[in-house]
Amino acid sequence: MTSSPRQTDLSALIACPQCDALYTVAPPEPGQRATCARCHTVLIAPRRKAGLNIIALALTMLILSVGAAVFPFLRISVAGLSNNASILDAMLAFSGPQLILLSLATAALILFIPIARAMLIVYVLGPIVADRRPFPGAARAFRLAEALKPWSMAEIFALGCAVSLIKVGDLANITFGPAFWMFAILVVVVVVQDNFMCRWSVWKSLETTPTS
Amino acid sequence: MEIAGNDAHVMTAREAGLVGCRRCARVWPLGTQVCGRCGNRMTSRDTRSLQRVWAWWLAGLMAYVPANLYPMLRTRTLVSSQEDTIVGGAVELAHHGSYGIALVIIVASVVIPLSKFMAIAYLAISLQRGLKASPHQRLGVYEIVEYIGRWSMIDVFVVAVLSSLVQLSGVATITPGPASLTFALSVIFTMLSAQAFDSRMFWDAQAEDRNQSKEQTT
Ligand SMILES: [Zn+2]
Ligand SMILES: [Zn+2]
């Protein structure tokens, strides 16, 4: 490298978001990853047919999330009495202000935010995959989807269900409902989708096809 | 990937007179305010980030204290009614022989939150005082804090699950106590605190050291 970065085209450079190290972009082969030499943050990780796969996985997530909301996730039975709990039930059980706030927060973290992320991702990537112009506001939509990522907690909820089952397991007979298994699959889908997602490639395609 | 600089010294965007977008990694001339690709607000180094870190840290700590003092769960059965704090609930579980679950609850609700408060304070103080810590070590601590912090929410979810599930009128009911809300707030505030860091500052101290030693040798 003899030329100063000032003279080169700025779009050919990339700055590590974690440590600010500056690199000349050299996109790796699909399936390979380019990482920061200093802090090992993954910078570029293209995958073949990533867009289509991500959209398919996002739609799967939507269906699973809606199912997980409606079907019961645990079932309790003790002394002839039984109760099913679904997230929808939990939200509609107006037994005290604390429970309402708690179920709203829970529903937001395990349902609304994951569903919103899946829809935003389909909105952003749909036109890119179809080689069309991005929809208006695609950049803002993708930025929001990225910002919401740490607040999407379906996988933690799945573990919470398992802990609850053991916690009251000796008081009553508790079994997993269909929604629990949907959450379990959802956890896997989220991980696989994250693996396909190369943020740099998405931003690059949003840039090369101007929104206006 | 090629480093824009030589092997011995990693050139940063700031040294090259550029500012990097932390959302999409695009670079722009230094002083550009908004990223032209993703619309993110950019600063070369967010010097006010530590104020936000401390503000959320304090809010998180203030929510964590009542979360431990007030009951997390209220259990009512035909014969008894009982209120459990986080630690009390875990001790109860251990008494019944569920050591594994008691351990999960203690780790998620006590060990992780407390180490998180300490880790964030260590990172913030080491940046403020300019302590000579290896950036790899600091980034390691930071990444663990960011990754693990979310899992503290598990106890809140357990309360939400139990109180919607155990509604057997007459036989047993479980309702959430005030600690469930303050604990959830504490987790949210500490997540915001960790997110407020500008991790690029972890590396600057090292670069300054090297520049100084270079000046001394020449
Ligand atoms: Zn880096
Ligand atoms: Zn940007």
Side-chain angles (χ1 to χ4, degrees):
Chain A
M1 287 293 294
T2 44
S3 64
S4 146
R6 255 169 263 234
Q7 272 122 43
T8 54
D9 179 15
L10 287 185
S11 69
L13 295 173
I14 183 171
C16 173
Q18 290 288 349
C19 77
D20 209 32
L22 190 64
Y23 299 96
T24 314
V25 170
E29 290 291 299
Q32 309 255 283
R33 337 160 98 188
T35 55
C36 173
R38 184 153 78 157
C39 72
H40 309 297
T41 302
V42 176
L43 298 174
I44 308 177
R47 297 286 290 262
R48 240 180 270 281
K49 299 216 167 120
L52 268 181
N53 280 318
I54 293 171
I55 289 176
L57 290 167
L59 293 174
T60 315
M61 276 161 67
L62 272 179
I63 295 165
L64 283 172
S65 303
V66 172
V70 178
F71 290 108
F73 51 85
L74 284 176
R75 180 186 167 77
I76 186 172
S77 57
V78 56
L81 283 169
S82 73
N83 187 25
N84 282 313
S86 73
I87 295 165
L88 220 57
D89 290 338
M91 280 170 57
L92 297 175
F94 292 107
S95 45
Q98 265 153 18
L99 188 54
I100 294 172
L101 278 175
L102 192 65
S103 25
L104 279 180
T106 306
L109 293 170
I110 65 177
L111 278 181
F112 301 150
I113 290 177
I115 288 176
R117 280 199 76 220
M119 294 201 300
L120 288 169
I121 285 168
V122 171
Y123 181 83
V124 171
L125 290 183
I128 293 179
V129 168
D131 274 326
R132 300 262 174 85
R133 268 185 179 187
F135 288 129
R140 192 184 296 171
F142 191 57
R143 221 170 65 214
L144 184 62
E146 287 291 287
L148 287 176
K149 201 180 154 207
W151 304 100
S152 165
M153 299 187 174
E155 74 275 27
I156 302 171
F157 184 77
L159 190 63
C161 279
V163 169
S164 313
L165 177 110
I166 303 166
K167 204 168 173 175
V168 287
D170 55 343
L171 300 176
N173 192 9
I174 298 187
T175 41
F176 287 132
F180 173 80
W181 300 110
M182 290 181 178
F183 267 112
I185 302 169
L186 202 58
V187 173
V188 180
V189 175
V190 169
V191 173
V192 174
Q193 195 205 39
D194 201 48
N195 242 304
F196 272 107
M197 177 74 84
C198 172
R199 281 151 199 95
W200 184 84
S201 308
V202 174
W203 285 121
K204 187 84 186 162
S205 23
L206 286 178
E207 187 177 40
T208 42
T209 42
T211 31
S212 53
Chain B
M1 299 292 280
E2 267 179 274
I3 298 173
N6 56 40
D7 289 347
H9 176 59
V10 175
M11 184 185 261
T12 63
R14 183 169 68 165
E15 286 165 342
L18 301 168
V19 53
C21 172
R22 299 202 68 201
R23 188 65 75 193
C24 73
R26 180 85 154 84
V27 293
W28 302 94
L30 204 60
T32 313
Q33 301 271 308
V34 176
C35 174
R37 177 152 77 177
C38 72
N40 193 30
R41 295 209 137 267
M42 296 185 301
T43 43
S44 182
R45 293 295 179 273
D46 190 350
T47 42
R48 292 176 66 188
S49 63
L50 284 178
Q51 288 171 29
R52 269 180 290 134
V53 168
W54 281 120
W56 287 122
W57 185 89
L58 199 66
L61 195 63
M62 274 160 47
Y64 186 68
V65 174
N68 277 280
L69 296 178
Y70 289 98
M72 195 84 174
L73 272 182
R74 291 201 176 99
T75 315
R76 258 181 229 108
T77 61
L78 278 178
V79 286
S80 67
S81 108
Q82 183 186 341
E83 297 195 332
D84 278 329
T85 56
I86 293 171
V87 178
V91 169
E92 184 84 358
L93 278 167
H95 272 301
H96 285 100
S98 325
Y99 294 106
I101 294 303
L103 195 70
V104 169
I105 297 293
I106 287 289
V107 168
S109 318
V110 180
V111 179
I112 292 180
L114 285 182
S115 8
K116 221 180 133 173
F117 284 122
M118 287 190 286
I120 292 176
Y122 158 74
L123 289 174
I125 291 170
S126 82
L127 282 182
Q128 275 166 334
R129 298 268 166 90
L131 296 183
K132 277 185 191 154
S134 129
H136 285 282
Q137 191 192 330
R138 282 201 284 216
L139 191 73
V141 171
Y142 177 67
E143 279 180 342
I144 292 171
V145 162
E146 267 226 304
Y147 182 77
I148 303 267
R150 308 162 62 236
W151 287 90
S152 295
M153 210 51 132
I154 191 166
D155 213 16
V156 176
F157 289 154
V158 168
V159 172
V161 166
L162 287 180
S163 48
S164 58
L165 180 70
V166 186
Q167 296 291 336
L168 305 164
S169 49
V171 178
T173 50
I174 290 182
T175 46
S180 57
L181 283 177
T182 49
F183 189 80
L185 282 178
S186 168
V187 176
I188 289 169
F189 290 155
T190 39
M191 279 175 72
L192 289 169
S193 173
Q195 283 177 12
F197 272 110
D198 186 344
S199 62
R200 298 171 298 189
M201 285 159 75
F202 297 150
W203 302 85
D204 290 342
Q206 189 199 33
E208 277 156 27
D209 279 357
R210 198 177 14 231
N211 288 346
Q212 272 168 11
S213 58
K214 224 183 269 171
E215 277 160 25
Q216 278 159 11
T217 49
T218 49

